[in-house]
Amino acid sequence: MAQVTKDTIIGDILEIDETTAPIFLSIGMHCLGCPASRGETIEQACMVHGVDADELVSKINEHIKDK
């Protein structure tokens, strides 16, 4: 998988690597099964949940770097 950015769609990340789900859940994104949330970008979801998008992108990229 290429580098994740703030513009990456959450559903795309989950389809490529479902083991990223706990990262989203750990910051309060419990709506991963909702079609609307899966269509959001990381930046959009972070705005709704009050999370720093750059931190989340960094965590996800660290998680997927060796996959």
Side-chain angles (χ1 to χ4, degrees), residues 12-52:
D12 292 344
I13 297 167
L14 292 169
E15 285 181 28
I16 292 168
D17 186 353
E18 64 189 27
T19 69
T20 58
I23 297 170
F24 292 105
L25 295 172
S26 74
I27 60 169
M29 292 183 186
H30 299 282
C31 51
L32 295 178
C34 171
S37 72
R38 291 181 67 95
E40 290 180 325
T41 65
I42 289 178
E43 186 170 40
Q44 290 168 328
C46 285
M47 283 191 295
V48 170
H49 292 278
V51 174
D52 183 290

Side-chain angles (χ1 to χ4, degrees), residues 49-64:
H49 292 278
V51 174
D52 183 290
D54 292 319
E55 275 186 39
L56 182 58
V57 166
S58 178
K59 284 181 187 179
I60 294 169
N61 281 321
E62 181 66 25
H63 179 81
I64 64 173

